[in-house]
């Protein structure tokens, strides 16, 4: 399939059949999916109809039929029992053939050779012989086009470019213009070939995503390793990844320390250090040392599979602009055909014009009636934007999301885990008795093994300073207040200022210190020995390094920002002031939803969150965006996702959406502008048949090439579309049919 009109042909051929519903034809992934009642229509009838209009169709995993690279029918395409196509083992894919090896390439070469021979006969032979040479060249080149045209007419779609082409070329022969007819047939074949090449380039950018995960993995079995299919790995198994190899699964490092290049998955250019207990993504590249990894997700649920699934689903989620263009194109073509009929008969009947002259103009007008360029103007841009976003760690679930993101005027951020890291760390240690090492040893001794984030942060701070926790006994938690234990015969308590006040261990001087730290948005715990204050430790969930820059970039884009958090007002104010952002604090999940609803009443709102409690607010916003490290619930609820956990990717996502919508507007202007110009010039007799076909196929190629410019766009910087000579970076190994 080369353009939106191809997808429309397949959709129209099958959706008219009884028992067929929910027809989804994805242009770039070449996928047909539908719901079928096999009591009314068999799956074999579906395949017959698709083959009848000139497309190949085969089950997912099977070798593609003619034409090569034709439809791939997923195993879940037909919902039913007896007629379901059995799953076949995946076959090793072969590279796409060169253009001259394709059906369209051979048609171009054949019709070109016939046209050249006809021109040669005009120079060397008599006029009558050369006349018939042009007629033969036209007919031979027109036969495959006419067959497709009549096949489409039989399934109720008479207004296709193939039918218009057949009428125009046949009409040119009838009125004695075989040279132009032969040239038009050749130019049409060239245009079809260029459309196919352009669509193939866009399609390959999507296919590259599926090539990231290696096909095999080194599985540990006892004391040995053996090579197995990566898709056969199950949760809990251990695999080895050597330096230079791609990680075959989502998993957790069991042993080994190495830098891992995650750029194929997230676009992050700097390798990340991976050590035991740290997660790794399928498709990332181990760069330094051997890693042993425990599989945590099945192949169907790993990061790459989810990205591919999101992109595939996104292709089916059409933008409002695309749906409007589809409706418009259904009216446009019949209107142009009607206008051509008036041009053919009106002037000769009304004003005595020459029949052959006005029929010629009408035939040229017919060729301008095909809406291919207009139909592909939106999906080509959307597909390129989705591919660029996926390569840069930005996922959007379809054209509707892209269109909504481009109109965003306000961004609402969750705080914890979004604007901040979500993990508190020790920022201040103020000693009243003894020294800092002794104070941290006592606190770590009490908190050793704690599950509370503050306790873990204190233990982490002691470990970072090479301080061993003091030996403690009789440890117990004080719910809502802290924890205590017995160390060296004394009761040591690590608790909140409120607990210290209850135990009369919070004098005014210490209270003033606590209030000063809390004013900075920090949480304070006090270490007590037998109810005597030994010192205090302040902790804070620090903002991400790029949070302030993200807010500044949004402001430069004309987008306002607000932070929504359940934290106390003092902490929220301190974080918000440091980032230069408005805030609303002490919000329960339902309060966040209410805040979003208030904003959406007067603005276009994007919500950024990562937790389960953010899911309702994500759903309430015009565009919900989940941070990549967030919960599965947030990722499923959200309209988009950011895989790199960079806050600056939020303005990047808006920048990409705006670039895509700008590209769509350019495409629509190109398509309609060229049509309008040549409609006028054709009626006035300035341009003829061969110019008309160039206007049609040329517009389609221009629109597709313009959409491909989005593949060079860098959404995380303020730069505009890169020069066409720059090639996008791709990371690919093995290919899997989608």
């Amino acid at each position: 399939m080369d353009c939106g009109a191809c997808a429309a042909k397949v959709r129209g051929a099958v959706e008219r059949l009884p028992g067929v519903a929910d027809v989804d034809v994805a242009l770039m992934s070449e996928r047909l999916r539908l719901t079928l009642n096999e009591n009314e229509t068999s799956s074999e009838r579906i395949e017959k109809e698709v083959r009848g209009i000139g497309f190949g169709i085969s089950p997912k995993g099977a070798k593609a039929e003619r034409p090569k690279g034709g439809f791939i029918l997923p195993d879940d395409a037909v919902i039913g029992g007896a007629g379901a196509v059995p799953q076949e083992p995946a076959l090793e894919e072969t590279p796409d053939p060169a253009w001259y090896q394709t059906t369209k390439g051979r048609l171009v070469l054949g019709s070109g050779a016939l046209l050249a021979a006809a021109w040669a006969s005009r120079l060397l032979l008599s006029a009558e012989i050369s006349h018939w040479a042009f007629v033969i060249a036209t007919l031979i080149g027109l036969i495959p086009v006419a067959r497709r045209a009549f096949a489409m007419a039989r399934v109720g779609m008479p207004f296709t470019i193939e039918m218009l082409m057949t009428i125009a070329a046949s009409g040119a022969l009838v009125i004695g213009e075989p040279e132009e007819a032969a040239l038009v047939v050749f130019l049409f074949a060239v245009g079809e070939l260029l459309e196919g090449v352009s669509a193939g380039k866009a399609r390959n950018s999507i296919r590259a995503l599926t090539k990231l995960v290696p096909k095999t993995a080194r599985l540990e079995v006892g004391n040995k390793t053996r090579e197995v299919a990566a898709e056969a790995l199950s949760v809990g198994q251990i695999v080895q990844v050597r330096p230079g190899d791609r990680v075959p699964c989502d998993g957790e490092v069991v042993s080994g320390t190495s830098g891992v290049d995650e750029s194929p998955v997230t676009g992050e250019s700097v390798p990340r250090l991976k050590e035991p207990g740290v997660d790794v993504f399928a498709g990332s590249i181990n760069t330094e040392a051997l890693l042993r990894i425990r599989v945590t997700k099945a192949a169907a649920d790993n990061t790459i599979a989810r990205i591919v699934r999101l992109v595939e689903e996104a292709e089916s989620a059409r933008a409002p602009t695309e749906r409007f263009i589809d409706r418009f194109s259904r009216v446009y073509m019949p209107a142009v055909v009607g206008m051509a009929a008036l041009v053919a008969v009106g002037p000769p009947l009304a004003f005595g014009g020459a029949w052959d002259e006005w029929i010629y103009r009408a035939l040229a007008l017919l060729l301008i009636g095909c809406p291919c360029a207009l139909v592909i103007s939106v999906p080509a841009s959307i597909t390129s934007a989705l591919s660029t976003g996926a390569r840069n760690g930005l996922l959007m679930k379809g054209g509707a999301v892209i269109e909504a993101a481009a109109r965003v005027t306000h961004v609402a951020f969750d705080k914890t885990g979004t604007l901040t890291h979500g993990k508190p760390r020790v920022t201040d240690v103020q000693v009243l008795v003894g020294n800092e090492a002794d104070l941290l040893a006592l606190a770590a001794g009490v908190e050793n093994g704690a599950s509370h984030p503050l306790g873990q942060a204190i233990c982490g701070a002691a470990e970072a300073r090479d301080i061993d926790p003091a030996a403690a006994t009789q440890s117990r938690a004080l719910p809502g207040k802290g924890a205590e234990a017995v160390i060296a015969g004394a009761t040591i308590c690590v608790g909140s200022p409120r607990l210290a006040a209850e135990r009369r261990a919070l004098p005014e001087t210490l209270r003033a210190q606590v209030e000063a730290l809390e004013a900075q948005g920090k949480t304070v715990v006090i270490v007590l020995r037998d109810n005597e204050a030994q010192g205090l430790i302040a902790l804070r969930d620090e903002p991400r390094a790029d949070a302030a820059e993200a807010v500044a970039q949004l402001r430069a884009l004309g987008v306002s920002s607000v932070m929504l958090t359940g934290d106390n007002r003092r902490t929220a104010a301190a974080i918000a002031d440091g980032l230069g952002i408005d805030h609303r604090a002490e919000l329960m999940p339902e309060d966040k939803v209410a805040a979003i609803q208030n904003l959406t009443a007067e603005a276009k709102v994007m919500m950024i969150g990562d937790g389960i409690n953010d899911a309702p607010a994500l759903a309430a916003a015009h565009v919900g965006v989940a941070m990549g490290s967030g919960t599965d619930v947030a990722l499923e609820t959200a309209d988009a996702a950011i895989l790199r956990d960079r806050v600056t990717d939020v303005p990047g996502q808006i920048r990409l959406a705006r670039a895509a919508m700008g590209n769509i507007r350019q495409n629509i202007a190109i398509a309609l502008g060229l049509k309008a110009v040549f409609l006028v010039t054709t009626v006035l007799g300035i341009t003829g048949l061969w110019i008309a076909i160039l206007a049609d196929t040329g517009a389609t190629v221009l629109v597709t090439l313009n959409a491909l410019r989005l593949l060079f766009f860098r959404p995380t910087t303020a730069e505009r579309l890169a020069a066409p000579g720059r090639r996008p970076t791709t990371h690919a190994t093995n290919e899997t049919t989608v």
Side-chain angles (χ1 to χ4, degrees):
M1 295 191 295
D2 301 328
C3 69
C6 297
K9 291 170 186 174
V10 177
R11 189 182 303 113
V14 299
E15 68 183 2
R16 69 186 184 88
L17 298 174
V20 173
D22 306 323
V23 178
D24 174 26
V25 182
L27 171 65
M28 290 304 166
S29 56
E30 297 181 297
R31 183 196 69 227
L32 167 64
R33 203 177 263 153
L34 54 87
T35 302
L36 178 65
N37 180 351
E38 293 218 45
N39 292 326
E40 299 184 53
T41 299
S42 66
S43 56
E44 290 78 10
R45 174 74 185 281
I46 299 292
E47 296 178 15
K48 180 180 179 181
E49 291 295 328
V50 173
R51 293 188 184 102
I53 57 174
F55 293 98
I57 180 170
S58 58
K60 183 180 180 180
K63 186 176 181 179
E65 291 181 346
R66 179 200 62 82
K68 196 153 187 168
F71 270 92
I72 301 299
L73 182 66
D75 52 348
D76 60 344
V78 180
I79 300 176
V85 180
Q87 179 68 34
E88 297 189 22
L91 301 177
E92 197 68 32
E93 290 193 28
T94 55
D96 287 341
W99 68 268
Y100 52 82
Q101 295 175 315
T102 64
T103 302
K104 291 181 178 180
R106 290 194 294 269
L107 179 61
V108 167
L109 295 176
S111 59
L114 290 170
L115 183 62
W119 281 110
S121 69
R122 164 163 286 191
L123 297 175
L124 302 175
L125 303 173
S126 66
E128 184 176 353
I129 293 176
S130 66
H131 173 88
W132 285 107
F134 280 113
V135 171
I136 292 171
T138 301
L139 292 176
I140 292 177
L142 191 60
I143 287 173
V145 178
R147 279 168 45 193
R148 286 160 57 193
F150 289 113
M152 294 306 302
R154 283 197 301 272
V155 297
M157 286 182 283
F159 296 110
T160 61
I161 181 58
E162 289 83 4
M163 181 62 76
L164 300 184
M165 179 68 204
T166 301
I167 295 172
S170 302
L173 291 179
V174 171
I175 63 175
E177 297 288 348
E179 298 92 339
E180 283 217 51
L183 182 58
V184 164
V185 169
F186 172 70
L187 291 176
F188 177 77
V190 171
E192 290 275 285
L193 176 64
L194 291 177
E195 287 178 7
V197 171
S198 300
K201 289 185 178 296
R203 190 171 287 128
N204 287 338
S205 67
I206 298 294
R207 287 176 179 168
L209 295 173
T210 68
K211 301 176 185 178
L212 294 176
V213 180
K215 287 188 175 296
T216 61
R218 290 170 53 84
L219 175 67
E220 286 190 2
V221 181
N223 296 324
K224 299 180 179 180
T225 61
R226 63 185 178 92
E227 200 165 88
V228 300
E231 63 182 17
L233 293 174
S234 58
V235 175
Q237 291 182 320
I238 305 294
V239 297
Q240 292 184 3
V241 183
R242 298 168 298 189
D245 287 352
R246 287 185 181 271
V247 178
C249 59
D250 277 11
E252 178 184 307
V253 177
V254 175
S255 65
T257 301
S258 178
V260 173
D261 177 7
E262 296 182 342
S263 60
V265 183
T266 67
E268 177 62 66
S269 59
V270 179
R272 289 193 174 185
L273 182 66
K274 301 293 182 179
E275 50 192 359
V278 178
D279 293 335
V280 291
F281 297 131
S284 53
I285 304 169
N286 183 18
T287 61
E288 297 169 358
L290 179 72
L291 291 176
R292 295 176 64 243
I293 297 170
R294 178 182 294 107
V295 180
T296 57
K297 290 183 180 178
D301 297 319
N302 68 35
T303 302
I304 296 298
R306 291 175 72 179
I307 292 174
V308 171
R309 194 156 56 242
L310 284 172
V311 172
E312 285 185 336
E313 291 171 357
E315 192 182 345
S316 300
R318 300 193 297 166
T321 301
E322 184 179 356
R323 290 195 294 269
F324 170 77
I325 292 295
D326 278 352
R327 291 194 300 269
F328 175 79
S329 64
R330 292 172 189 171
V331 177
Y332 170 80
M333 185 181 287
V336 172
V337 171
M339 184 184 299
L342 288 176
V343 168
V345 301
L349 292 177
F351 308 107
W355 281 96
D356 58 347
E357 177 184 347
W358 286 100
I359 290 176
Y360 178 85
R361 295 184 187 184
L363 294 175
L365 199 59
L366 278 179
L367 296 180
I368 301 173
C370 178
C372 285
L374 191 59
V375 170
I376 202 175
S377 60
V378 179
S381 298
I382 294 297
T383 301
S384 294
L386 292 173
S387 177
T388 295
R391 287 203 321 274
N392 288 275
L394 308 174
L395 299 181
M396 287 182 276
K397 298 180 181 178
V401 175
I402 290 177
E403 194 163 327
R407 297 198 301 264
V408 162
T409 59
H410 288 67
V411 171
F413 290 97
D414 171 53
K415 181 181 78 70
T416 305
T418 302
L419 288 175
T420 66
H421 292 284
K423 295 181 179 180
R425 67 180 185 86
V426 173
T427 59
D428 301 88
V429 179
Q430 297 185 8
V431 181
L432 301 176
V433 179
N435 57 49
E436 181 177 305
D438 291 339
L439 185 68
L440 282 174
L442 289 174
V446 174
E447 298 286 2
N448 194 21
S451 59
H452 193 280
L454 296 181
Q456 292 176 343
I458 291 172
C459 292
E463 183 180 352
R465 293 168 171 80
D466 291 326
I467 298 172
D468 294 328
T473 59
Q474 301 178 34
S475 300
R476 69 187 186 98
L478 304 173
K481 298 178 181 180
E484 68 179 13
V486 175
I487 298 176
T491 300
I492 307 299
C493 177
V494 179
S496 66
R498 184 178 63 178
L499 178 64
E502 290 176 358
R503 298 188 177 187
R504 302 182 184 279
L506 190 65
E508 285 302 319
T509 53
L510 188 57
R511 188 188 300 275
Q513 290 177 267
V514 170
E515 290 178 353
L517 290 169
E518 287 182 342
Q520 299 173 34
K522 298 174 182 178
T523 300
V524 179
V525 297
I526 299 175
V527 181
L528 305 175
R529 182 197 293 269
D530 292 332
N531 294 334
E532 291 291 332
Q534 305 296 296
L536 55 83
I537 301 173
L539 308 94
R540 187 166 78 166
D541 183 7
E542 291 293 314
R544 296 181 187 269
D546 63 339
E549 173 63 19
V551 172
Q553 288 187 25
L554 288 170
R555 192 178 301 116
L557 290 171
V559 177
S560 301
S561 304
V562 62
M563 182 180 74
L564 307 178
T565 179
D567 278 355
N568 66 75
R569 298 183 187 279
R570 185 178 291 175
T571 300
I575 296 291
D577 290 346
L579 299 178
I581 186 175
D582 291 335
H583 71 281
R584 300 180 189 180
E586 299 181 0
L587 300 177
M588 298 296 287
E590 59 270 23
D591 298 326
K592 288 186 180 181
V593 173
I596 292 293
Q597 289 173 340
N598 289 337
L599 285 172
T600 55
E602 55 189 27
K604 299 297 182 181
V605 181
M606 175 183 283
M607 170 70 190
I608 320 294
D610 75 318
I612 291 176
N613 63 330
D614 296 324
L618 292 173
H622 291 110
V623 182
V625 180
M627 297 295 278
S629 62
T631 64
D632 287 344
V633 173
L635 289 171
E636 293 301 325
T637 304
D639 303 302
I642 292 173
L643 296 182
R644 294 188 293 194
D645 280 351
R646 285 185 178 180
V647 190
T648 48
D649 280 350
V650 174
Q653 203 145 37
I654 294 175
R655 204 176 285 119
L656 175 61
R658 291 183 177 180
M661 294 309 298
N663 192 270
I664 287 171
R665 287 190 287 270
Q666 293 167 9
N667 280 349
I668 292 174
I670 291 171
L672 290 180
L674 284 175
K675 297 288 185 184
V677 168
F678 286 100
L679 278 172
V680 174
T681 57
T682 299
V683 172
L684 295 178
I686 300 173
T687 53
L689 283 173
W690 68 275
I691 292 290
I693 197 63
L694 278 182
D696 175 65
T697 57
T700 303
V701 172
L702 283 176
V703 162
T704 306
L705 292 177
N706 187 51
L708 291 177
R709 292 172 62 238
L710 283 170
L711 295 175
F712 306 103
F713 185 72
R714 297 295 174 263
T716 52
T717 63
E719 69 184 22
R720 296 302 173 197
L721 293 180
R726 287 178 57 187
R727 297 177 62 86
T729 302
T730 58
H731 305 266
T733 51
N734 301 312
E735 184 173 347
T736 303
T737 300
V738 179

